[in-house]
Amino acid sequence: MSEINYVVDAKGVKKYFPIKSGLLQKTIGHVRAVDGVDIRIKEGETFGLVGESGCGKSTLGRTLLRLIEPTEGQISINGMDMTKLKREELRKVRPSMQMIFQDPFSSLDPRMPVGEIIGEAVREHGIVPASEYRDYILKIMEDCGLRPYYIDRYPHEFSGGQRQRICIARALALNPKFIVCDEPVSALDVSIQAQIINLMEELQEKRNLTYLFISHDLSVVQHISDTIGVMYLGSMVENGSTEDIFANPLHPYTKALFSAVPIADPDVKMNRILLEGDIPSPANPPSGCKFHTRCSQCMEICKNKVPEVKDMGNGHTVACHLYNN
């Protein structure tokens, strides 16, 4: 049996942002945006990351790529220890890991034509010789469904879906192995979402890409992901194959999230699980299990003791006291 190749292997990743106050800007606390997350992504697969707004999904994605520096933890991407790379070493490995942002318009320079937007980093990193540069950019554009004559046009001349194709082409042009997709379809119409998702799947198959796919839309995540991780207030509460998690969600928070997915059948009664109370502040998270303040199955142990991550079989893990007995 061949050894499983993990493109991403991160353990205990933390990202705390300091809270400063007063004239001398003293640090009076920390926002625990990512609080000890373990994540592994196999080569050529898609890891779907879900959770409410503010749970730390995007911060985790950026921390893995070292777009923001981790506070603590080990991060290995393509076999390299990301936390130990110096600035110049990091610059050299940047092409192998890219990011597609949520808002295609604000992530594109309005003063640059499409050809320059896609090709700027290609030229900077010397991906192809100067003589092959234009043909290379046109080939990348073609792969992403962009017409050759778009090369001299500017971002404001395109629709949202076309702009996102430009963002995908820009990431793809550097021949990455790993791409963080930060809600890449949330700003698009549903019909355009399907086109972009299909494009990403085609490119993944063709180039053996590995994705971290961050999204709120569980139906999109179910369609594109091989594995799913559920985050709550900076922590991973459940993790497993897409099939396992959708067939048998274990954590009360996962069950509540999944109960909100609409079903396209008027005869099926929705059994919504409504979470009471507001999301606690990541600057002052609850003791014990962070979810206990909103959980209908809360026990006394939940208020004081942090639940251990338990493997329920087939790689399906959950951090909940209901399964620790």
Side-chain angles (χ1 to χ4, degrees):
M1 190 174 172
S2 60
E3 190 181 340
I4 297 170
N5 184 19
Y6 289 100
V7 169
V8 178
D9 190 354
K11 293 184 181 74
V13 179
K14 293 183 180 180
K15 179 58 192 175
Y16 292 178
F17 293 98
I19 303 167
K20 296 181 183 292
S21 180
L23 199 62
L24 299 174
Q25 288 293 287
K26 282 189 175 179
T27 301
I28 57 168
H30 288 89
V31 174
R32 301 180 181 187
V34 179
D35 199 9
V37 169
D38 296 352
I39 183 169
R40 300 174 98 190
I41 311 175
K42 293 176 190 172
E43 184 179 15
E45 291 199 349
T46 301
F47 188 103
L49 193 59
V50 300
E52 291 168 296
S53 294
C55 71
K57 304 186 298 295
S58 297
T59 305
L60 176 61
R62 289 165 193 245
T63 305
L64 291 176
L65 298 183
R66 264 189 70 185
L67 294 178
I68 50 180
E69 292 294 329
T71 305
E72 211 177 284
Q74 292 178 298
I75 302 169
S76 169
I77 295 180
N78 297 318
M80 289 173 290
D81 189 339
M82 294 297 294
T83 52
K84 291 182 180 170
L85 293 181
K86 302 266 192 317
R87 190 173 175 179
E88 192 53 41
E89 294 171 319
L90 189 60
R91 185 184 174 279
K92 285 177 185 171
V93 302
R94 278 269 174 242
S96 67
M97 47 189 190
Q98 291 295 304
M99 188 160 188
I100 300 166
F101 296 94
Q102 179 175 359
D103 182 359
F105 193 56
S106 63
S107 65
L108 298 173
D109 189 333
R111 297 163 298 179
M112 290 172 74
V114 166
E116 273 300 302
I117 287 170
I118 297 170
E120 184 183 25
V122 172
R123 192 183 281 127
E124 183 69 27
H125 287 279
I127 303 294
V128 291
S131 58
E132 298 171 22
Y133 171 80
R134 188 177 172 86
D135 288 342
Y136 180 77
I137 299 304
L138 288 170
K139 177 70 173 71
I140 292 290
M141 288 175 64
E142 183 190 339
D143 287 350
C144 294
L146 296 165
R147 303 289 174 86
Y149 57 84
Y150 290 172
I151 197 166
D152 296 317
R153 291 190 178 179
Y154 289 83
H156 71 270
E157 299 178 68
F158 297 94
S159 67
Q162 288 171 322
R163 285 183 200 136
Q164 198 57 291
R165 286 176 186 269
I166 295 165
C167 292
I168 293 170
R170 177 177 59 184
L172 208 66
L174 294 165
N175 287 325
K177 294 278 184 287
F178 173 53
I179 301 179
V180 173
C181 313
D182 189 5
E183 302 197 39
V185 295
S186 65
L188 307 176
D189 293 342
V190 174
S191 58
I192 307 299
Q193 282 185 9
Q195 292 175 23
I196 297 297
I197 293 294
N198 290 338
L199 170 65
M200 291 178 70
E201 288 186 319
E202 283 169 28
L203 293 170
Q204 182 175 37
E205 198 172 317
K206 197 172 172 182
R207 293 170 174 258
N208 196 32
L209 297 170
T210 304
Y211 292 144
L212 172 62
F213 193 90
I214 299 165
S215 181
H216 284 106
D217 193 329
L218 290 166
S219 52
V220 170
V221 170
Q222 184 178 18
H223 175 73
I224 198 172
S225 304
D226 299 288
T227 311
I228 289 178
V230 182
M231 274 186 82
Y232 181 78
L233 214 63
S235 300
M236 195 81 78
V237 296
E238 190 165 354
N239 187 348
S241 71
T242 303
E243 197 179 329
D244 278 356
I245 285 200
F246 272 87
N248 183 30
L250 299 173
H251 199 281
Y253 177 63
T254 311
K255 291 176 182 176
L257 276 186
F258 285 14
S259 77
V261 179
I263 299 167
D265 185 343
D267 298 323
V268 175
K269 190 176 185 303
M270 296 279 290
N271 294 314
R272 284 290 307 272
I273 300 171
L274 297 174
L275 297 177
E276 295 179 4
D278 296 324
I279 304 173
S281 167
N284 186 25
S287 59
C289 173
K290 292 179 182 177
F291 187 60
H292 85 256
T293 56
R294 304 171 74 198
C295 182
S296 60
Q297 295 173 275
C298 175
M299 302 176 287
E300 199 56 41
I301 191 173
C302 303
K303 298 174 185 176
N304 308 307
K305 189 180 177 188
V306 177
E308 292 176 10
V309 176
K310 186 170 183 184
D311 193 333
M312 304 300 288
N314 201 25
H316 189 164
T317 63
V318 63
C320 179
H321 287 299
L322 291 170
Y323 306 96
N324 284 347
N325 299 330

